[in-house]
Amino acid sequence: MQQVSTRLHNTTWPMCRQMPRPLDLMFVVLCVIGLITTYMSISSSELRIKQFPINQSVKPKEQPSPSSSKSNHVKDLKFIAIHRCSDFEITTIKPVYEVGDEIKVHIVIRDGYNRRKRSGGDYVRMWIKDVTKGACANGIVKDNNNGTYTGTITLPFEGRVKLVVSLATPKETLDALYSTFNGKRIREIIAGYNKNGISEDTTCRPEEHIPGYDTVCNYTSVNYGFPWYCGRPSSKGLMCSDWNVTRTIMPELNYTDQYKKMFRHNRLHRQLKSKSNVYIVVSGDSKVMREDNRTPCHDLSPRLSWPSSYPSGYLWNWTWYVTHCRSTFHDTPQRWNECLKFRTVWMFGDSTTRQFLFYLMKYLNLPLVTEKWLKKSWHKPSLLQSQTHNYTIFWGPHCFPFHNGIAWENLVSLKATHAYIDEIPNRSRDIVVIHFYLHFMAYHPDLYRWHVRRTRQSVAKLKSRAPDTLVFVKGSHAFRDHGAIIGRTDDIWGGIYDKIVEEEFIDLRDSVIFLNMWDMTVASENKMQHPNRTIVRAMVNYMMGFVKC
């Protein structure tokens, strides 16, 4: 299990105990009022993406957007929550705990002046772990909206367990990320035009008005109804129809100096100090939690897989045990072959669903029947096939926004997830896995919602014509921004995206299964955008527990 460092970095921040002068107090009040106004505002025209229709049967849902006007930017970083001034303590103290006991934790978040925050909104997480047993579990943290948080976790396994509380993200970080929507993006997609030896590159976005271009090419129709525009080439002899390749660049970020300092001093994902012992002893048989008379997961109502007030499961010996049901799936190649026989597994999304395909290709020793991968970060539709057991596994990347890296790639590789789903045959018993996440982070969450909403329409039609099709929506996973430039990406959007999925699929929760990847990846302290092989294995086996073989 990966460890989170508690080493304090050398910074120029004053000590937590330093208190402000009287004039500073007045300044604090004014700035807090400004911040509250910022997050209550829902009328910021700067942040809104123009409301484009998705095909003709869908209209995007208007969402409130935090304001990020320059007058509301943070003036003093010491007003922001900081981990080394914050702490937690266990309030349900026992010398020895039993499996099934509930632990409650009182968490206090303070700013750089060592004052308790008077409002909520900071992202706080809590989990337990026993590295020697490959065991960990996520907890539930309630925001009391006054600078304090209440953590709760039911102990699912025995051992010498460590309790960890982390300030994942100060709320001002979300404002900093939203501010990028007013200028350069975290990542930019570039269109490459070429004809008769003449070439030109232009910027692409889901908005019709792109800075630096008087006119644009409208590619919404070829992007399967989702808004997509690129700057019109100015070179003589080039037309919109001459776009044939695409790539991604990382532009310089337009954060204010204060926000750059906030990211530079790395206030993200930092553990809090404890006022009580962080290690607790848990006795009892772990099987009490996972081997009781629970319903087999494949017989569970799909509705119970959707977000709830308790964690979805826990890791034990790096195997994921679901809280509300019992998996009967045994992870052997023979069992995989039996469960997938006469089926196709359709996986759509980004590189994290491609990880599923790559894992199964190696684990089940399946050959590619599409073209050979020339690199690990392959962005073209790929198909595995088992002729012996008569099943196939497919992965297809979603349509724009899809960031394929710095190398130029052909446009024909991308296709909307809903278009794939519409092609699945009637009376199918196939398995469908849907996922949207990382490629949407450079854009307003409305764009994510529109893709989810249109996909949901096709899923409803699929379940009507092929009710035996097993449909999964793979949720967001936790990770940390360890890129060269802190503040480029982070998992802060994960909870927002999962909430959007929950809202858009509300009427299909009796027929579609939600795969909660958040609890697993928070508890396992996953750091990378692409989880390691151990976590991917736990994810795919978690999914297969819902498949009736």
Side-chain angles (χ1 to χ4, degrees), residues 149-183:
Y149 298 75
T150 301
T152 307
I153 190 165
T154 300
L155 300 171
F157 49 77
E158 74 274 10
R160 186 170 182 264
V161 176
K162 183 178 181 180
L163 176 65
V164 183
V165 177
S166 166
L167 175 60
T169 312
K171 64 181 179 181
E172 289 78 8
T173 304
L174 180 59
D175 181 60
L177 292 175
Y178 262 107
S179 72
T180 65
F181 299 131
N182 290 336

Side-chain angles (χ1 to χ4, degrees), residues 88-331:
F88 70 94
E89 63 178 328
I90 300 173
T91 58
T92 50
I93 300 293
K94 293 177 65 175
V96 177
Y97 296 84
E98 298 288 332
V99 170
D101 283 350
E102 183 180 83
I103 285 185
K104 285 192 175 294
V105 178
H106 180 66
I107 304 164
V108 179
I109 300 298
R110 299 184 179 88
D111 64 16
Y113 289 115
N114 200 26
R115 297 169 305 193
R116 195 191 84 192
K117 299 293 293 291
R118 297 299 173 182
S119 60
D122 298 304
Y123 287 19
V124 180
R125 299 173 189 171
M126 179 185 79
W127 64 94
I128 57 172
K129 62 181 182 179
D130 185 343
V131 179
T132 64
K133 294 181 172 61
C136 54
N138 191 30
I140 298 295
V141 177
K142 177 187 176 183
D143 187 344
N144 298 320
N145 296 312
N146 61 1
T148 72
Y149 298 75
T150 301
T152 307
I153 190 165
T154 300
L155 300 171
F157 49 77
E158 74 274 10
R160 186 170 182 264
V161 176
K162 183 178 181 180
L163 176 65
V164 183
V165 177
S166 166
L167 175 60
T169 312
K171 64 181 179 181
E172 289 78 8
T173 304
L174 180 59
D175 181 60
L177 292 175
Y178 262 107
S179 72
T180 65
F181 299 131
N182 290 336
K184 292 183 179 179
R185 294 294 169 78
I186 294 170
R187 294 187 288 183
E188 291 278 20
I189 293 176
I190 305 300
Y193 298 85
N194 190 297
K195 184 178 181 181
N196 298 329
I198 303 172
S199 61
E200 185 177 340
D201 307 343
T202 70
T203 301
C204 301
R205 291 188 175 185
E207 303 99 336
E208 188 173 4
H209 301 289
I210 303 176
Y213 300 94
D214 294 330
T215 58
V216 297
C217 298
N218 185 349
Y219 296 113
T220 300
S221 60
V222 297
N223 199 40
Y224 299 88
F226 296 110
W228 199 250
Y229 301 84
C230 300
R232 183 182 294 272
S234 58
S235 300
K236 186 176 181 180
L238 290 181
M239 304 174 62
C240 291
S241 58
D242 297 323
W243 179 25
N244 45 44
V245 290
T246 182
R247 72 186 185 103
T248 299
I249 63 170
M250 298 288 189
E252 181 181 353
L253 299 183
N254 64 328
Y255 291 128
T256 65
D257 288 341
Q258 286 293 81
Y259 282 132
K260 288 178 181 178
K261 290 178 183 178
M262 177 177 68
F263 288 123
R264 189 180 303 125
H265 289 291
N266 193 14
R267 291 187 168 204
L268 310 180
H269 303 284
R270 303 300 297 275
Q271 293 184 14
L272 309 188
K273 60 180 179 290
S274 175
K275 297 172 68 175
S276 53
N277 191 349
V278 296
Y279 284 96
I280 61 174
V281 177
V282 183
S283 67
D285 187 355
S286 293
K287 291 184 179 181
V288 171
M289 292 294 291
R290 66 174 188 263
E291 297 293 345
D292 57 5
N293 295 322
R294 291 198 185 99
T295 302
C297 294
H298 56 72
D299 288 335
L300 188 76
S301 168
R303 175 173 290 273
L304 297 179
S305 68
W306 287 85
S308 62
S309 59
Y310 53 85
S312 61
Y314 62 95
L315 283 168
W316 175 267
N317 194 26
W318 299 117
T319 297
W320 186 249
Y321 290 91
V322 185
T323 303
H324 46 279
C325 63
R326 173 172 51 87
S327 176
T328 60
F329 179 74
H330 301 290
D331 182 26

Side-chain angles (χ1 to χ4, degrees), residues 4-20:
V4 179
S5 172
T6 58
R7 178 174 62 87
L8 296 178
H9 295 274
N10 292 325
T11 70
T12 58
W13 298 101
M15 296 299 291
C16 296
R17 63 176 178 271
Q18 181 175 339
M19 296 300 291

Side-chain angles (χ1 to χ4, degrees), residues 12 17 48 66 118 132-133 193 220 253 279 310 337 351 364-365 369 372 387 400 425 457 461 466 487-488 491 538 542:
T12 58
R17 63 176 178 271
R48 291 193 186 280
R118 297 299 173 182
T132 64
K133 294 181 172 61
Y193 298 85
T220 300
L253 299 183
Y279 284 96
Y310 53 85
N337 291 332
S351 53
L364 301 178
N365 193 27
V369 296
K372 183 179 179 180
Q387 292 185 344
F400 288 113
Q457 289 184 355
K461 293 177 181 177
R488 233 180 228 295
D491 65 13
Y542 167 34

Side-chain angles (χ1 to χ4, degrees), residues 372-486:
K372 183 179 179 180
W373 290 10
L374 301 179
K375 55 183 179 179
K376 192 172 182 179
S377 55
W378 194 244
H379 297 135
K380 296 181 181 180
S382 301
L383 183 69
L384 308 176
Q385 187 175 61
S386 171
Q387 292 185 344
T388 304
H389 300 281
N390 198 14
Y391 66 84
T392 57
I393 303 176
F394 173 86
W395 173 77
H398 59 69
C399 60
F400 288 113
F402 190 90
H403 299 265
N404 59 298
I406 61 174
W408 290 107
E409 291 194 3
N410 197 288
L411 291 176
V412 299
S413 303
L414 306 181
K415 184 174 179 177
T417 297
H418 74 261
Y420 278 120
I421 293 174
D422 289 342
E423 295 172 354
I424 296 176
N426 295 345
R427 296 182 295 278
S428 168
R429 292 182 58 254
D430 290 347
I431 297 170
V432 178
V433 184
I434 300 165
H435 182 63
F436 301 115
Y437 189 18
L438 299 175
H439 292 249
F440 290 84
M441 288 182 170
Y443 308 92
H444 193 283
D446 273 352
L447 187 65
Y448 181 90
R449 182 182 292 276
W450 301 347
H451 281 251
V452 172
R453 179 172 296 183
R454 180 60 187 87
T455 302
R456 175 241 161 250
Q457 289 184 355
S458 289
V459 170
K461 293 177 181 177
L462 173 65
K463 293 299 294 185
S464 177
R465 71 175 188 272
D468 291 334
T469 304
L470 195 59
V471 179
F472 295 95
V473 177
K474 176 178 175 283
S476 306
H477 62 277
F479 68 94
R480 305 174 200 171
D481 185 348
H482 286 277
I485 302 177
I486 299 297

